[in-house]
Amino acid sequence: MNDIGMMNREEKFTSFLLHSDGAVSVLVVIFGFLFATLLVITVGRNPSGIYKSLLQVLTGYNINNGKWNARYVGDWLNYSVPFVLCGFSMAFAARAGLFNIGGEGQYIIGMTVAQLVALTFPLVPFFHVAIAVILAILGGALWGGVVGYLKARFEVSEVVATIMLNYIALYLSRIITIAIPGTNTYKTVNYPETASLRLGFLSDMTNGSTLNAGFFLMLICVIFYWFLLEKTNMGFGLRATGFNKDAARAAGIPVVSSIVIAMAASGAYAGLGGGLVALGSFRYGRVIAGMDNYGFTGIAVALVGNNTASGTLFAGLLFGMLQAAQPLMQTNNIPKEITFIIQGLVVVFISLKTGLRIFLVWNEKRENMKAASKTGTGGKK
């Protein structure tokens, strides 16, 4: 009986790991916070500072002085926008069986195009900012689509190609931005009002935070991602390509175009993220000296979110919360670097989950083969 009970528990645990992606991701996040809490205790700090900071970000309430400020909530939501969009950049490619490590470069291209349009195009209300955002999307799509074409046509590794294009995007952005009249070594002149995503009512509601129209565009992208991949023939073709390219090709699915579309769409999401950061979070263009790392962190966001629409949204909100909490951590006597440790721990645990899942699938196949072998031997006897 004990052996049978143990086997049942092992089967339940295996089933849980293999099929409960959402629950496992939640557990992984909890473990990340628990280990970070133990680390803070180990170095002699009070871990309550972590949770005071996170509470203030989520609700605006400062437990130390009893005051409430909506600006913290607004900044949290705004910080989350590029994490979510760059998470979708990775997730979209992953659903088609690709690994897009070039979200950072696609983000930079979108940001650069948006800045260029904001400072050079005619100052027509609404159309100015709309064109800037649309061209940022197209810039990111082109940057990702090139990789998709090289992968589909010449079997060039998308990992290698996107890594190389990340650095090309960085230095190309610097060359283009510095060439804009009035630019110094680190910033351009201020944008005209027609190129800003800031909305007065959002600033008033959140006490002058950076929350802007980009947040609503991000929510639209969440719905679009879910609808396209889960409810359309194109989405089915992309997912089928991700599961098995040969089977998809045999079923008449255009694998080559699916790969190009997947990478272009991935680039479009990251490009939009760059455009929204440029026009929503800043009032001027930036001459970036290094990468913002939204694209790289987007890989972790997609992993935590299991490449799904809702999962990636919540994972992006989590990472945005951690970034928004950094200055508050310091006021609560907690090093801001603890947020990076939490992110790293979450990614490590997610990776362990994936590795364990691969092992369990392999072990399950091996046990099935043994059982089939015994049954065959018994039949011969």
Side-chain angles (χ1 to χ4, degrees):
M1 286 295 292
N2 289 336
D3 291 340
I4 294 174
M6 186 176 295
M7 290 176 62
N8 288 334
R9 285 195 296 271
E10 288 178 355
E11 289 175 359
K12 289 179 180 178
F13 177 68
T14 301
S15 178
F16 174 74
L17 285 174
L18 292 176
H19 304 295
S20 303
D21 286 333
V24 172
S25 292
V26 171
L27 285 176
V28 161
V29 172
I30 292 173
F31 284 145
F33 277 98
L34 287 176
F35 273 78
T37 300
L38 293 174
L39 179 62
V40 170
I41 293 173
T42 302
V43 297
R45 302 290 179 89
N46 187 349
S48 65
I50 298 175
Y51 302 100
K52 287 179 182 178
S53 302
L54 297 178
L55 176 66
Q56 191 169 351
V57 167
L58 291 173
T59 65
Y61 179 72
N62 187 339
I63 199 170
N64 292 325
N65 57 22
K67 294 182 179 180
W68 182 79
N69 190 340
R71 179 170 62 85
Y72 297 107
V73 179
D75 285 340
W76 160 47
L77 296 177
N78 185 54
Y79 276 129
S80 301
V81 169
F83 285 123
V84 173
L85 292 173
C86 289
F88 281 132
S89 176
M90 171 62 186
F92 203 105
R95 295 292 290 271
L98 302 167
F99 193 83
N100 179 24
I101 204 170
E104 187 68 24
Q106 295 146 18
Y107 161 91
I108 291 172
I109 291 297
M111 179 196 72
T112 306
V113 170
Q115 292 177 168
L116 185 63
V117 173
L119 294 167
T120 59
F121 273 47
L123 312 183
V124 182
F126 178 75
F127 291 102
H128 189 189
V129 69
I131 291 172
V133 170
I134 291 170
L135 290 181
I137 295 172
L138 293 177
L142 177 62
W143 209 251
V146 168
V147 176
Y149 176 77
L150 293 174
K151 171 71 174 180
R153 182 71 178 81
F154 302 106
E155 288 295 327
V156 175
S157 169
E158 72 274 18
V159 175
V160 175
T162 49
I163 289 175
M164 295 172 65
L165 285 173
N166 283 340
Y167 291 96
I168 294 173
L170 172 63
Y171 295 111
L172 184 63
S173 174
R174 287 181 56 82
I175 293 169
I176 292 172
T177 308
I178 289 176
I180 299 174
T183 302
N184 57 31
T185 56
Y186 67 95
K187 62 174 286 189
T188 69
V189 297
N190 287 345
Y191 299 138
E193 286 299 319
T194 53
S196 176
L197 287 167
R198 303 283 181 95
L199 297 175
F201 79 92
L202 282 179
S203 296
D204 293 338
M205 285 174 57
T206 57
N207 195 25
S209 78
T210 54
L211 186 64
N212 56 76
F215 180 75
F216 301 110
L217 293 176
M218 180 269 288
L219 293 178
I220 292 172
C221 287
V222 174
I223 298 171
F224 178 78
Y225 176 93
W226 168 80
F227 181 79
L228 178 64
L229 284 178
E230 306 296 342
K231 301 296 180 181
T232 67
N233 290 333
M234 179 184 291
F236 176 79
L238 292 171
R239 289 185 286 116
T241 301
F243 282 124
N244 190 313
K245 290 184 179 65
D246 294 330
R249 188 179 289 108
I253 294 172
V255 172
V256 171
S257 60
S258 293
I259 291 173
V260 176
I261 289 171
M263 286 302 300
S266 296
Y269 270 108
L272 175 59
L276 297 184
V277 169
L279 304 178
S281 299
F282 295 89
R283 298 187 183 276
Y284 54 84
R286 293 181 298 147
V287 182
I288 54 175
M291 298 182 182
D292 285 348
N293 289 321
Y294 285 117
F296 294 126
T297 308
I299 298 173
V301 171
L303 289 173
V304 176
N306 296 305
N307 300 325
T308 64
S310 58
T312 304
L313 171 62
F314 287 115
L317 290 171
L318 169 68
F319 279 71
M321 176 186 69
L322 291 172
Q323 178 157 329
Q326 286 180 10
L328 298 175
M329 294 277 187
Q330 292 181 306
T331 62
N332 285 297
N333 200 30
I334 299 291
K336 68 177 183 179
E337 288 77 14
I338 197 68
T339 60
F340 299 116
I341 292 174
I342 293 173
Q343 292 178 11
L345 288 170
V346 168
V347 173
V348 168
F349 289 136
I350 283 288
S351 301
L352 290 175
K353 180 201 77 171
T354 303
L356 184 57
R357 174 181 294 175
I358 293 171
F359 170 76
L360 291 173
V361 170
W362 171 81
N363 188 60
E364 188 176 14
K365 289 181 179 178
R366 188 183 67 171
E367 293 297 329
N368 290 338
M369 290 177 64
K370 283 184 178 179
S373 176
K374 288 180 180 179
T375 304
T377 303
K380 288 179 181 179
K381 289 181 180 179

